[in-house]
Structure formats: C-alpha cells, structure tokens
Amino acid sequence: MLDTPAFGWDTLARYQLIEILVLWEGCVVVSQLGEAFGIGRQHAQKVLRQYRTVAPGNLVYDESRKEFAD
C-alpha cells in the first residue's frame, strides 16, 4: 500500500492550482492563491510552505521577483 498523506479537498484544490500556475505561467505568487480561494496573505504563505514540504524541490523561492518558480 502506498504511504501517501491524506488531504482535504480544499488542500488538494490549492495544491492543484499551484501546480497549474507553475506549469502554465512558470511561477506562482501568494496573491494568486489569496484571490482564487478568498484567503489572506498569511494563509496563502502557509499553503505554499506546506506544499513545499509535501513536494520538496518542486518550487524555489525567487527573492528578487518575490515568487515561487519551478
């Protein structure tokens, strides 16, 4: 059996949007998550931090552009 973490639908939707934005736009910024899901900046940052622990190496933070890219 696979040892995969169980996520709620809201978390899965947020992770899916992160992956779609990175695929199509090459990056994702905190404000995009906030606007898409009606969450605050701090919550959106938390979602991105959690995503990076679940999928390490998928995103790298670019300090100069203040965005996460692949």
Side-chain angles (χ1 to χ4, degrees):
M1 182 183 269
L2 294 175
D3 186 24
T4 58
F7 298 110
W9 286 106
D10 57 339
T11 302
L12 289 175
R14 291 171 182 158
Y15 290 173
Q16 184 177 23
L17 179 62
I18 290 169
E19 292 185 354
I20 290 169
L21 288 170
V22 170
L23 176 68
W24 287 101
E25 297 183 12
C27 66
V28 60
V29 293
V30 172
S31 62
Q32 290 172 311
L33 291 178
E35 291 173 15
F37 295 104
I39 58 177
R41 184 179 61 82
Q42 290 179 336
H43 191 173
Q45 288 173 327
K46 180 181 175 184
V47 170
L48 283 165
R49 276 194 309 275
Q50 290 171 335
Y51 176 82
R52 291 178 71 196
T53 61
V54 172
N58 280 10
L59 296 177
V60 176
Y61 186 69
D62 184 344
E63 286 279 336
S64 64
R65 296 175 65 176
K66 296 188 179 184
E67 65 187 18
F68 290 89
D70 60 347

